[in-house]
């Protein structure tokens, strides 16, 4: 039992990361109506810029800034593709586009950053914050969760309390109408893409040293992130954050259950499936169609 | 540039000398139609990892032999094919080498999955494969493949053997990530260790997935009270594992890694750690430039301006043993004569490894059975076992 | 329809025989080997084409299904199962079906994008599991044996070709059945499909099951092709790349799948010959797929459009001889066809419908009018079962239907049209009528189309103008001969003459098809021409009901609605 608790706490680190990336995904979806499969890849691109610059001897702080700028650029680039060519498309098509882009980005990313040796990922925040159930919670893992909470609150307030949030919501729900009433649609969409690019880049900078730091593994963090977003039904930031942490914790717990070892990879998936089926009990009609 | 030429000349003259000597020993040497011997390799170059250093070292060695007149006048025409770690592409590449390029053998490759994918094809086409670095389990367990490295499975046994013998480990734990169907191979390797040492593994976990958070595993081995943990991480995972152990303030456990940990990048990335980190090494440690065993390899790689890494040792060694066998062929070099020469050859002593390399006619081939172990010491790897740790036969 | 199936089937068989002869007879072994690989990829692409291209669900785990098929073949081989490779491949395909259904199940409720995430999650999970299971027989060098006569490169090519032809021909027939039309309809609009009485879960599940079967077959073929397999044959990136290729080439079409297969094999080959990295292939696939999505047209759709353009020289003449009499009249029923009691719909604080009592008598056309935002379309949505919740009740011929989902209401006799037409443009006119109306004879289809003056059944909906599509909407709902038909502004966008003609047709519906009609319309000429009674809604309440002459003179109605409208019309 104690082992289970310990491993659950150990899973918090990963859970915080999933939650944070999940919240970013919901933010993107609610504001520009795109389920973005490339989100983690965008962040990864920014992170690798930091790593390469840092390896080249540039001090940490400016390197981080450059990495964030790269995240913004990558986000805006994807955003431009989406707003230029797919503004009128339905949600499924947009998602399909990001899936296709992911295939290409991973190939390019591996080409640019790959090779046989890993890069050295600097720890932005090293050291341990506290000890819980015999597990050291590192500053970065707490920061990941903290950042998730902060971003959740921020996104919630922005969307439901501010005029800009109102504009942004109008933008995702009725882009044409929003344009007509004078909302600068193009500008705001690109802004959203840029912001999420920076936030995911920063998230990944914190997460990356704790993960297998190659371009593909980091880009595929989008899978648990979107699963978390799914638990929040792409609407609730809090549910998403909690969902992400839940997935991480359960993943951690399965590592001590002997019989499950081989099938450990499938457990989070089964949980998502169960949660999904429970949350969406009634028939739903796709609003877009 | 001048230096290079000088070195090339030196290497060339050594080659000619060797050739002359072997020419005396045999009545007639190998001959070839059209003056070339076609050889190929299927390697992972793009995709999740880049192993191209291995075949490029083979290429460099072949180039130097060619520059020195070739093998009894025959130039080696070497083709490297990328497989992107994609089985479909790997299969296509092998068929292209065999059917279109008409290679006599596959030499010096290193791929995440090539052996498993192409093993049946090589058997069907009666082609033999000498990987520079065998990676997947099938490389050490197929009738038509014999790598020049010991490989992760033998290394798992060997580094654990080192732990029991030299570190006096009583509670050895194994945390192994299984990818690409290596389950049986690792289980065999660990049970071989139990047979050799008469000890029992304290704990075994085969559930690690690549790219995941390692905290739960580090906690698990700590709570299990392990003295030492053998784990099969590749390079990024090694760094991640030790950083996680440091983050969790784990002490008193020796970490036994396999050869992928043994790189200068890992040493640099882990310069700050105080954890006892060991890695087993496939060949004479490349960080020892003064070692006698490394001489030939060093000269060759410096001449070709190839990096000095374990990978290039593998590629170089594959070229060397292959050419040794070629020289003994009496008559035309064809796929058939190369195959039969390899199957009937005598073991070749290999200075780069404590074992002798042989292809031979066995159903499976894993000729290399020795390792040296290095220990991480503030950003550099230091030799922990000056002499070879040779696994006793079961 | 049958004719078209046989025609394309014979084209496929003939092409396959020629290709088989050329490839095995003339090309060297290596090219035969590559051609085999093309076909196996094409089979996998067909499986994703069915579920993604045809049914519109983003499925990112097709290679996992293929893995199930391949591993099954491996186990059957090692276990010494009776039969030989073709039997095992078939069993492997069947083994993938439960997985397809299990993944399809959440698809029943999840919207398209969520399904993409769930399938991707499945692919990840399956990766982790498959990676830990060695391919059966690999460690003991038991390769999957090919049947003796197909053992050579050329032989195995023929073996795979036979499978490919069987699957391609089977699919050609399948997509021209009602099920095929249902898939297209679901992809185009789930609501519109449900309004035709189609069970969306059933449609999605069948697509997933059949596509998993085909993917499983492709895995089995691959097992025989390579002898032994590794988990990477079926990993998630393979599934993603497959998705990109299928999007790019349009794998729902036989030629699209084949082009995709050729690209998947040719890229590595070309890149190797140019001495370029193999990763460029994926980048090109990503660009190609994005381009296809932005153009809204895959390679094979472009190809088909061009071919149609060349053939266009002689458009199918309207079958002049087939001026068949309109369908036989149906004896009229009596009483109330449809009624609502206290129907109330709230959107948050807004009350869209407020205790609406409405009765649609049998054998007549009733009108429902009211200013914009009065709640007319909301009423249709509520009656047809497209609202999550409402209070009050809806009765069809006296039976409450409130607990029935939309497609069951449609089957039981409530059919509706939409303000904007939602017909899948890939269908033919005849296939659409059959989709809406169920199986019926060619003569019957022709008669209905003649009645409402729609083009020949073989005409593609994509080539029909918007006005005619509105007529086709009406033809579809009446073809099902439901108890009641709800028409949502059928005259929107029609010219004056067309509207008059439409009014005449609507007035004929009760007599010819036995359906009661509730007509929602703004066009007063149409309402006057077609309706025998009228209900007026304003702000979600019924403000008047009765005979048109009486209701339209009611001062409240004039104030709420007609005064403004007439004023505008005059201006």
């Amino acid at each position: 039992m104690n082992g289970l608790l310990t491993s659950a706490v150990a899973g918090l680190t990963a859970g915080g990361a999933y939650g944070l990336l999940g919240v970013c995904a919901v933010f993107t979806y609610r504001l520009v109506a795109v389920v973005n499969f490339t989100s983690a890849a965008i962040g990864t691109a920014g992170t690798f810029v930091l790593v390469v610059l840092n390896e080249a001897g540039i001090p940490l702080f400016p390197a981080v800034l450059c990495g964030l700028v790269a995240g913004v650029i990558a986000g805006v680039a994807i955003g431009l593709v989406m707003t230029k060519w797919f503004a009128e498309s339905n949600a499924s098509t947009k998602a399909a586009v990001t899936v296709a882009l992911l295939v290409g980005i991973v190939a390019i990313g591996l080409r640019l950053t790959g090779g046989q040796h890993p890069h050295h990922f600097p720890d932005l925040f090293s050291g341990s914050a506290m000890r819980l159930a015999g597990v050291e919670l590192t500053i970065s893992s707490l920061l990941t969760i903290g950042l998730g909470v902060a971003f959740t609150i921020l996104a919630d307030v922005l969307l439901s309390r501010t005029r800009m949030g109102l504009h942004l919501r109008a933008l995702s729900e009725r882009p044409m109408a929003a344009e007509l009433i004078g909302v600068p649609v193009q500008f705001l969409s690109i802004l959203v893409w840029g912001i999420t690019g920076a936030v995911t880049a920063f998230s990944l900078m914190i997460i990356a040293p704790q993960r297998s730091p190659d371009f593909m593994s980091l880009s595929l963090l989008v899978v648990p992130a979107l699963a978390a977003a799914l638990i929040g039904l792409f609407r609730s930031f809090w549910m998403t954050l909690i969902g992400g942490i839940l997935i991480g914790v359960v993943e951690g717990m399965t590592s001590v259950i002997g019989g499950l070892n081989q099938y450990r990879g499938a457990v989070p998936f089964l949980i998502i499936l169960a949660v999904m089926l429970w949350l969406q009990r009634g028939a739903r009609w796709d609003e877009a169609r | 540039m001048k230096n290079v030429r000088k070195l090339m000349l030196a290497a060339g003259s050594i080659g000619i000398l060797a050739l002359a000597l072997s020419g005396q020993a045999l009545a007639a040497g190998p001959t070839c139609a059209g003056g070339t011997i076609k050889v190929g390799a299927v390697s992972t170059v793009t995709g999740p990892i880049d192993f191209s250093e291995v075949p490029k070292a083979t290429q460099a060695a072949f180039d130097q032999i060619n520059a020195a007149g070739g093998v009894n006048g025959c130039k080696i025409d070497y083709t490297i094919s990328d497989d992107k770690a994609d089985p479909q592409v790997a299969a296509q590449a092998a068929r292209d080498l065999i059917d279109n390029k008409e290679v006599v053998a596959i030499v010096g490759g290193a791929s995440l999955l090539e052996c498993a994918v192409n093993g049946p094809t090589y058997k069907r086409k009666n082609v033999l494969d000498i990987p520079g670095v065998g990676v997947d389990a099938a490389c050490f367990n197929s009738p038509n493949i014999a790598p020049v490295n010991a490989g992760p499975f033998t290394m798992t046994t060997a580094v654990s053997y080192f732990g029991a013998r030299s570190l006096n480990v009583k509670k050895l734990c194994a945390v192994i990530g299984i990818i690409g169907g290596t389950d049986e191979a690792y289980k065999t390797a660990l049970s071989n260790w139990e047979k050799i040492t008469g000890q029992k593994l304290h704990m075994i976990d085969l559930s690690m997935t690549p790219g995941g958070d390692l905290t739960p595993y580090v906690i698990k081995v700590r709570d299990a009270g392990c003295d030492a943990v053998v784990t099969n991480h590749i390079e990024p995972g090694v760094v991640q594992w030790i950083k996680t152990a440091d983050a969790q303030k784990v002490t008193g456990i020796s970490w036994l890694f396999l050869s992928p940990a043994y790189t200068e990048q890992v040493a640099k990335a882990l310069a700050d750690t105080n954890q006892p980190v060991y890695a087993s090494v496939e060949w004479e440690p490349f960080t020892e430039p003064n070692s006698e065993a490394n001489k030939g390899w060093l000269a060759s790689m410096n001449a070709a301006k190839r990096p000095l890494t374990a990978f290039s040792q593998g590629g170089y060694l594959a070229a060397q043993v292959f050419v040794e066998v070629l020289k003994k062929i009496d008559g035309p070099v064809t796929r058939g004569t190369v195959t039969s020469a390899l199957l009937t050859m005598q073991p070749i002593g290999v200075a780069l490894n404590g074992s002798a390399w042989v292809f031979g006619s066995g159903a499976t081939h894993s000729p290399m059975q020795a390792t040296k172990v290095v220990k991480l010491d503030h950003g550099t790897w230091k030799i922990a076992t000056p002499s070879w740790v040779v696994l006793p036969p079961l | 329809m049958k004719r078209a199936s046989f025609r394309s089937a014979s084209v496929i068989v003939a092409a396959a025989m020629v290709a088989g002869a050329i490839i095995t007879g003339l090309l060297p072994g290596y090219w035969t080997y590559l051609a085999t690989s093309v076909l196996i990829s094409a089979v996998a692409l067909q499986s994703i084409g069915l579920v993604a291209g045809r049914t519109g669900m983003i499925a990112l785990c097709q290679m996992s299904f293929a893995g199930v098929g391949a591993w099954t073949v491996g186990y059957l081989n090692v276990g010494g199962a009776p039969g030989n490779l073709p039997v095992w491949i078939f069993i492997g395909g069947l083994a993938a079906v439960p997985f397809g259904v299990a993944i399809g199940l959440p698809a029943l409720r999840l919207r398209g994008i969520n399904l993409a995430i769930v399938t991707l999650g499945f692919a990840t999970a399956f990766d982790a599991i498959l990676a830990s299971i060695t391919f059966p027989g690999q460690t003991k060098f038991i390769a999957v044996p090919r049947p003796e006569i197909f053992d050579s490169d050329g032989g195995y090519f023929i073996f795979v070709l036979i499978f490919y032809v069987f699957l391609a021909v089977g699919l050609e027939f399948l997509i021209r059945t009602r099920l095929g039309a249902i898939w297209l309809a679901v992809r185009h609009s789930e609501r519109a499909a449900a309004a035709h009485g189609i069970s969306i879960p059933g449609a999605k599940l069948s697509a997933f099951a059949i596509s998993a079967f085909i993917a499983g077959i492709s895995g089995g073929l691959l097992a025989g092709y390579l002898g032994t397999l590794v988990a990477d044959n079926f990993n998630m990136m393979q599934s993603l790349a497959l998705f990109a290729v299928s999007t790019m080439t349009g794998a729902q079409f036989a030629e699209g799948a084949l082009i995709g297969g050729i690209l998947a094999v040719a890229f590595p080959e070309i890149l190797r010959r140019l001495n370029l990295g193999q990763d460029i292939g994926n980048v090109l696939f990503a660009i190609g797929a994005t381009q296809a999505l932005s153009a809204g047209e895959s390679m094979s759709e472009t190809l088909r459009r061009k071919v149609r353009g060349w053939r266009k020289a002689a458009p199918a003449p309207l079958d002049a001889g087939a001026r068949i009499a309109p369908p036989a009249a149906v004896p009229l029923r009596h009483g109330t066809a449809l009624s609502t009691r206290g129907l109330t719909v709230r959107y948050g604080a807004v009350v869209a419908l407020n205790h609406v009592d409405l009765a649609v008598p049998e054998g007549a056309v009733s009108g429902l009018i009211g200013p914009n935002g009065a709640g007319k379309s909301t009423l249709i949505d509520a009656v047809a079962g497209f609202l999550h919740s409402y209070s009050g009740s809806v009765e069809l011929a006296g039976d409450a239907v409130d607990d029935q989902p939309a497609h069951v209401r449609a089957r039981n006799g409530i059919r509706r049209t939409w303000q904007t037409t939602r017909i899948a443009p890939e269908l033919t006119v005849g296939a659409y009528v059959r989709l809406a109306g169920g199986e019926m004879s060619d003569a019957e289809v022709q008669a209905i189309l003649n009645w409402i003056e729609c083009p020949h059944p073989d005409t593609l909906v994509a080539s029909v103008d918007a006005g005619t599509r509105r007529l086709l909407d009406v033809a579809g709902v009446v073809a099902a001969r439901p108890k009641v038909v709800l028409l949502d502004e059928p005259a929107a966008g029609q010219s004056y003459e067309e509207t008059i003609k439409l009014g005449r047709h609507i007035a004929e519906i009760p007599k010819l098809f036995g359906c009661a009609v509730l007509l929602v319309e703004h066009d007063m000429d149409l309402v006057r021409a077609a309706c025998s009674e009228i209900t007026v809604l304003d702000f979600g309440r019924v403000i008047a009901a009765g005979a048109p002459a009486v209701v339209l003179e009611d001062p409240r109605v004039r104030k709420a609605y007609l005064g403004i409208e007439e004023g505008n019309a005059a201006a």
Side-chain angles (χ1 to χ4, degrees), chain C residues 236-254:
Chain C
M236 175 173 44
M237 283 315 281
Q238 299 273 5
S239 289
L240 291 180
L242 194 74
F243 176 79
V245 174
S246 85
T247 310
M248 174 173 163
T249 64
Q252 65 268 43
F253 305 106

Side-chain angles (χ1 to χ4, degrees), chain A residues 31-261:
Chain A
L31 294 186
V32 289
V34 178
V35 172
N36 182 13
F37 282 84
T38 62
S39 60
I42 291 173
T44 307
T47 308
F48 268 99
V49 168
L50 152 72
V51 168
V52 169
L53 291 179
N54 191 239
E55 280 173 352
I58 292 175
L60 199 55
F61 183 67
V64 167
L65 273 188
C66 291
L68 290 181
V69 170
V72 171
I73 292 172
V76 167
I78 304 277
L80 279 176
V81 170
M82 301 310 296
T83 48
K84 270 259 171 337
W85 295 322
F86 299 99
E88 306 293 309
S89 307
N90 64 32
S92 278
T93 308
K94 287 179 184 168
V97 173
T98 62
V99 170
L101 288 177
L102 175 66
V103 174
I105 292 175
V106 167
I108 296 172
L110 282 174
R111 165 62 73 95
L112 294 179
T113 66
Q116 44 173 309
H117 299 298
H119 291 272
H120 172 57
F121 280 65
D123 258 325
L124 295 194
F125 307 92
S126 54
S128 161
M130 57 186 279
R131 202 176 170 88
L132 180 65
V135 181
E136 296 290 336
L137 281 181
T138 58
I139 292 181
S140 13
S141 64
L142 278 189
L143 197 73
T144 314
I145 298 173
L147 202 65
V149 172
F151 194 59
T152 302
I153 294 171
L154 213 70
D156 226 10
V157 169
L158 175 76
L159 274 195
S160 48
R161 304 278 152 81
T162 65
R163 189 170 168 74
M164 185 173 164
L166 189 74
H167 278 178
L168 288 167
R169 265 158 55 206
L171 169 78
S172 84
E173 279 152 22
R174 296 271 149 74
M176 287 288 273
E179 183 123 50
L180 284 177
I181 61 168
V183 177
V185 170
Q186 181 96 10
F187 171 75
L188 279 181
S189 317
I190 296 298
L191 189 71
V192 169
W193 281 100
I195 291 173
T196 48
V199 175
T200 44
F202 191 61
S203 320
L204 273 154
M205 285 174 191
I206 300 174
I207 300 160
Q210 305 157 16
R211 318 285 307 190
S212 173
D214 70 277
F215 200 95
M216 183 151 78
S217 318
L218 289 177
S219 298
L220 291 181
L221 279 177
V222 74
V223 179
L226 288 181
L230 209 49
I231 289 176
L233 294 178
F234 277 97
R235 210 170 37 239
S236 158
F237 290 111
W238 286 108
M239 282 298 289
T240 302
L241 185 65
I242 292 166
I245 292 175
L246 182 80
I247 294 173
V249 166
V250 170
E251 228 175 44
M253 272 157 53
T254 50
S255 68
V256 293
I257 304 171
L260 277 178
N261 268 350

Side-chain angles (χ1 to χ4, degrees), chain C residues 268-279:
Chain C
E269 194 59 31
I270 293 167
L271 291 172
R272 183 164 49 244
R273 276 161 201 246
L274 296 177
N275 230 342
L276 293 170
Q278 288 292 341
D279 48 1

Side-chain angles (χ1 to χ4, degrees), chain B residues 303-340:
Chain B
K305 291 199 165 158
R306 300 299 318 160
L308 303 176
T309 64
F311 278 166
S312 71
Q313 286 176 310
Y316 169 81
L317 187 55
Q320 295 305 312
V321 298
F322 178 67
V323 169
E324 279 303 308
V325 174
L326 272 189
K327 283 179 190 162
K328 300 222 165 66
I329 294 176
D330 198 2
V333 174
T334 63
R335 195 176 293 163
T337 56
V338 169
T339 300
S340 73

Side-chain angles (χ1 to χ4, degrees), chain C residues 271-499:
Chain C
L271 291 172
R272 183 164 49 244
R273 276 161 201 246
L274 296 177
N275 230 342
L276 293 170
Q278 288 292 341
D279 48 1
I280 296 171
N282 276 357
V283 178
L284 293 177
F285 291 149
I287 294 171
T290 310
Q291 193 277 333
L293 285 166
S294 79
E297 195 177 66
S298 61
M299 285 167 74
S300 45
E301 281 163 317
T302 313
L303 202 70
R304 288 195 166 200
R305 187 166 48 81
K306 295 248 164 82
V307 169
R308 255 203 320 274
W310 296 329
R311 282 208 197 138
K312 200 83 182 216
L318 210 124
D319 209 342
R323 274 248 154 254
I324 309 168
V330 174
L332 290 175
R333 289 180 289 255
H334 296 285
T336 305
L338 177 83
S339 61
T340 67
R341 288 222 191 102
L343 191 62
T344 303
V345 176
R346 286 192 178 82
Y347 295 122
V350 179
V351 182
L353 290 178
N354 194 353
H355 290 93
V356 171
D357 293 331
L358 179 86
V360 179
E362 290 277 13
V365 177
S366 311
L368 180 64
I369 63 172
N372 279 331
K376 305 185 297 292
S377 291
T378 305
L379 184 119
I380 290 193
D381 279 346
V383 169
F386 287 96
L387 289 187
H388 294 187
S389 68
Y390 59 80
S391 58
S393 79
V394 177
E395 289 176 8
L396 180 64
D399 299 323
V401 296
D402 301 302
D403 53 355
Q404 295 174 358
H407 74 276
V408 176
R409 293 190 197 190
R411 284 180 190 172
N412 286 342
I414 302 178
R415 291 292 174 113
R416 67 169 295 181
T417 65
W418 305 85
Q419 269 185 28
T420 49
T421 173
R422 298 184 177 205
I423 307 173
E426 300 92 338
L427 290 172
T428 62
V429 167
Y432 176 69
V433 173
R434 284 200 167 82
L435 168 75
E439 287 307 325
M440 55 180 83
S441 71
D442 287 349
E444 214 174 334
V445 170
Q446 186 71 63
I448 290 171
L449 291 173
N450 283 343
W451 164 69
I452 205 159
E453 295 168 46
C454 273
H456 190 271
D458 289 346
T459 319
L460 211 58
V461 172
S463 62
V464 168
D465 64 76
T468 312
R469 286 192 207 187
R470 311 283 340 224
L471 297 179
L472 198 52
D473 275 332
V474 178
V477 286
V478 298
R481 297 172 190 268
K483 293 197 182 77
V484 58
V485 166
L486 314 170
L487 299 177
D488 199 352
E489 302 194 15
Q494 303 273 51
S495 72
Y496 179 74
E497 287 79 19
E498 284 169 336
T499 305

